[in-house]
Amino acid sequence: RDEFFCTAARLVQKNSSRSCADYYVIHSWEDDAEVKAHKLAAWAEAKELELGRPPSIWMDSFCADDPTLKPFKLLQHMPIYITKCSKLLILCGPTVVDRLWCVMELFAWRAMGGKLEDVEALLLTAPECSADSIVASFDAFHVMYCK
């Protein structure tokens, strides 16, 4: 989990002077932090080569105006944060569609005018979690099963 925090914090810190971000990142805190860290770091390296600079990201509590905001306040601010991002990056692990918070972020992205062509998804595969099982979790999604 610490590795994920460090990876995300580096990406946020490198671009902290910008008022907008390239990517709004959706992830589940319940997914494997080590897998997320490795995938996010590899993605960031590839994006840096593509963009000629590190990609800037906005990621939930890492970037909130006030790190002490309660979840309901973060939810109120979510549309503002989303409109400041050009694209969406989904770290697709086995629990991302099980988390109501993640589903709300996906809904808010779409409601705020987000387009499918501006979405990138990284499958967080691991020996115990195949790409097929992650895709199946999206296929089986129903909001009534969210926690």
Side-chain angles (χ1 to χ4, degrees), residues 135-142 145:
V135 171
S137 71
F138 277 81
D139 286 341
F141 168 76
H142 194 289
Y145 300 128

Side-chain angles (χ1 to χ4, degrees), residues 79-139:
I80 295 163
Y81 299 139
I82 286 173
T83 59
K84 291 183 170 195
C85 300
S86 306
K87 298 183 179 197
L88 179 69
L89 176 65
I90 308 169
L91 302 180
C92 300
T95 70
V96 77
V97 293
D98 294 338
R99 307 300 305 159
L100 186 57
W101 186 267
C102 299
V103 173
M104 287 299 301
E105 288 176 309
L106 288 165
F107 173 78
W109 169 263
R110 185 65 191 110
M112 298 304 296
K115 297 179 179 97
L116 186 57
E117 60 264 17
D118 293 330
V119 176
E120 292 182 32
L122 296 178
L123 292 178
L124 304 179
T125 57
E128 65 282 352
C129 181
S130 69
D132 289 341
S133 67
I134 294 170
V135 171
S137 71
F138 277 81
D139 286 341

Side-chain angles (χ1 to χ4, degrees), residues 3-139:
E3 188 176 355
F4 176 64
F5 286 129
C6 292
T7 301
R10 269 195 309 276
L11 287 172
V12 169
Q13 191 174 29
K14 283 182 180 179
N15 297 285
S16 60
S17 63
R18 300 180 69 181
S19 62
C20 296
D22 298 316
Y23 290 87
Y24 184 94
V25 179
I26 295 176
H27 71 102
S28 170
W29 286 104
E30 292 188 12
D31 288 335
D32 187 303
E34 188 176 326
V35 173
K36 284 193 293 188
H38 289 294
K39 294 282 185 167
L40 187 59
W43 172 86
E45 285 179 25
K47 280 293 163 191
E48 186 169 353
L49 290 173
E50 180 184 318
L51 299 171
R53 61 172 172 75
S56 57
I57 65 168
W58 196 99
M59 186 182 290
D60 53 42
S61 55
F62 287 112
C63 301
D65 298 331
D66 177 356
T68 64
L69 285 177
K70 300 287 185 219
F72 74 92
K73 284 290 188 186
L74 279 172
L75 188 60
Q76 290 174 336
H77 295 189
M78 186 189 304
I80 295 163
Y81 299 139
I82 286 173
T83 59
K84 291 183 170 195
C85 300
S86 306
K87 298 183 179 197
L88 179 69
L89 176 65
I90 308 169
L91 302 180
C92 300
T95 70
V96 77
V97 293
D98 294 338
R99 307 300 305 159
L100 186 57
W101 186 267
C102 299
V103 173
M104 287 299 301
E105 288 176 309
L106 288 165
F107 173 78
W109 169 263
R110 185 65 191 110
M112 298 304 296
K115 297 179 179 97
L116 186 57
E117 60 264 17
D118 293 330
V119 176
E120 292 182 32
L122 296 178
L123 292 178
L124 304 179
T125 57
E128 65 282 352
C129 181
S130 69
D132 289 341
S133 67
I134 294 170
V135 171
S137 71
F138 277 81
D139 286 341

